[in-house]
Amino acid sequence: MTDGNVDANVATHPDDQAAAPAVSVVIPVYNQQAYISDCLESIARQTYDDVEIIVVDDGSTDGSAAETVEYAKRDARITLLAQPNAGVSAARNHGLADARGEWVCFIDPDDTVGPRYLETLMAAAHEDTDIVMSACVACGTGGEERQHFFPQPFTASDAEHKRPLYHQLIDGSYAQPKGFVTAIGVPWGKLYRRSFLKAQRLRFDPQLPRMQDNIFNMQAFAAARSIVYIDAAEYRYRVGGLGERTYRNHAQGLYHPAIDARARLMHAYGLDKDRQLYAAWQEEQVNLYFQEYKAAIMLAPSGKRVAAANKRVRQLRQRLTDIDTSVLSAPIRLKYTMMRNPVLRAAAASAIGLRQCQGGQS
């Protein structure tokens, strides 16, 4: 795909009849030429080497595929697949369909892993384990920050012990220390038993423009026989900044399909009957709608911000009406009220606009 010269399967399995590897590493790539070599190098240096590495080029227009081809010349475990640009969910599904390993591990192309990453995860798996999970080190412009998704390791094999997982999927701050960067809903930092994914027909939903990984994990957690969490941090997550694209994503309502999917799963799994999870779910919706409302204001021209706020609230009216305000905490109730009350809405629009003019983007 890159430069119009890369075939769909540049590097094929060295021996399709050979015994299947223990782990299939799937890397979806779209325009990550600057990082993909470091990512592949970190996987190549694993102390646990019974792996195949499947890179799925999602229609990159830079040299990502060419970089992978060059690396594949030095490591026969690498397979490069190519597809027209269809999004990260389709790319992960493509790699998953080609995987042969007993376990599947997703790694993002701009991230890297420590040398004992796979060894550490594999050591935690037991006969009935369907998912192994770990934390990470968040790497950004401000340096590195060790993440602890949960205070201590645990195994979850029933609804009660899975409850903290659901809670953190809905509210990323749950059980995390102040200043957390990411949460358990990510697809990386995990091993999934491939036979489990196949039996449950679990795939990433390409129809979800946002939060595909979170919804995928909600389904996987519900179906898994046993889930092991270890407080290890061999995964190095590159933190991206919040730019204009993030605000446009919110302003376009791209989170609505995921919100609707969450509602279906909450009901299907009976999680809406749990008081704490139900409240967290209601607050998640308010927070996402408030981000959408705020983005609409921030992207509006000066002098039209109040009108933009009013228009967005009209568009959200039914969704806001459906919120159960009786379970909202005081800070979230304030956000809700700011959207519903015309006077507060105008004041908030002015304040957000002023803060933007002063250089604030939060």
Side-chain angles (χ1 to χ4, degrees):
M1 295 293 293
T2 303
D3 301 326
N5 297 318
V6 179
D7 293 332
N9 291 280
V10 175
T12 58
H13 294 298
D15 183 357
D16 289 336
Q17 303 302 315
V23 181
S24 295
V25 177
V26 176
I27 310 171
V29 178
Y30 178 72
N31 289 352
Q32 294 293 334
Q33 181 179 1
Y35 303 116
I36 186 61
S37 291
D38 287 343
C39 178
L40 292 172
E41 180 67 23
S42 72
I43 300 168
R45 292 179 175 177
Q46 291 297 293
T47 55
Y48 191 95
D49 61 1
D50 186 11
V51 303
E52 64 176 356
I53 305 167
I54 303 171
V55 179
V56 183
D57 179 52
D58 184 36
S60 294
T61 57
D62 66 356
S64 296
E67 289 284 336
T68 302
V69 170
E70 287 302 308
Y71 210 96
K73 292 176 182 178
R74 306 193 298 272
D75 193 330
R77 297 173 299 172
I78 297 175
T79 298
L80 174 63
L81 308 177
Q83 64 181 38
N85 181 247
V88 66
S89 290
R92 289 189 180 118
N93 290 341
H94 193 169
L96 182 57
D98 198 67
R100 300 178 302 141
E102 179 182 3
W103 297 91
V104 177
C105 171
F106 297 102
I107 295 178
D108 283 352
D110 55 342
D111 297 337
T112 59
V113 289
R116 295 176 61 86
Y117 174 64
L118 292 176
E119 179 183 351
T120 301
L121 291 178
M122 287 293 289
H126 304 291
E127 185 177 349
D128 64 344
T129 303
D130 286 327
I131 306 174
V132 180
M133 309 181 300
S134 67
C136 69
V137 173
C139 306
T141 55
E144 299 181 355
E145 187 174 351
R146 170 71 155 87
Q147 302 291 290
H148 301 270
F149 292 161
F150 295 96
Q152 59 189 13
F154 63 89
T155 298
S157 302
D158 56 37
E160 179 59 28
H161 290 95
K162 290 178 182 179
R163 190 172 170 280
L165 297 172
Y166 294 131
H167 204 148
Q168 196 173 113
L169 286 177
I170 299 168
D171 174 5
S173 69
Y174 176 75
Q176 294 217 64
K178 186 177 180 180
F180 77 98
V181 174
T182 187
I184 201 65
V186 293
W188 45 258
K190 297 175 177 64
L191 287 178
Y192 300 91
R193 192 181 294 275
R194 189 168 66 88
S195 60
F196 157 71
L197 297 180
K198 184 175 181 180
Q200 298 296 327
R201 299 182 179 179
L202 284 169
R203 295 292 186 274
F204 295 89
D205 187 351
Q207 301 304 311
L208 298 180
R210 292 294 177 270
M211 290 175 60
Q212 315 97 322
D213 42 8
N214 188 297
I215 297 300
F216 172 87
N217 277 317
M218 191 172 185
Q219 295 171 302
F221 293 168
R225 295 171 300 170
S226 179
I227 305 169
V228 174
Y229 170 74
I230 55 174
D231 189 29
E234 286 282 323
Y235 194 98
R236 300 176 63 80
Y237 165 58
R238 188 183 300 276
V239 181
L242 294 177
E244 183 175 330
R245 181 180 176 184
T246 301
Y247 296 109
R248 293 196 180 280
N249 288 341
H250 278 289
Q252 293 173 39
L254 295 185
Y255 290 84
H256 291 186
I259 292 171
D260 296 341
R262 175 87 79 213
R264 290 191 295 271
L265 295 179
M266 289 291 293
H267 182 68
Y269 302 151
L271 303 179
D272 52 358
K273 305 249 187 314
D274 181 296
R275 183 174 178 80
Q276 284 190 322
L277 294 181
Y278 177 77
W281 170 44
Q282 296 299 310
E283 294 199 346
E284 177 188 40
Q285 294 173 75
V286 174
N287 278 325
L288 287 171
Y289 297 145
F290 188 78
Q291 289 300 319
E292 182 178 335
Y293 156 82
K294 187 167 71 170
I297 295 170
M298 296 179 72
L299 293 173
S302 178
K304 296 185 177 181
R305 293 185 178 119
V306 173
N310 291 334
K311 180 180 179 180
R312 184 49 51 104
V313 169
R314 286 195 300 271
Q315 294 169 339
L316 290 170
R317 179 174 289 121
Q318 187 57 55
R319 290 179 174 273
L320 291 171
T321 299
D322 290 341
I323 297 295
D324 182 354
T325 59
S326 70
V327 298
L328 301 180
S329 63
I332 307 303
R333 186 185 294 273
L334 177 59
K335 290 182 179 180
Y336 181 88
T337 304
M338 287 172 66
M339 288 186 283
R340 298 307 299 266
N341 183 287
V343 175
L344 291 178
R345 188 160 65 235
S350 298
I352 292 170
L354 178 62
R355 187 165 23 171
Q356 183 187 24
C357 291
Q358 293 174 342
Q361 290 282 322
S362 59

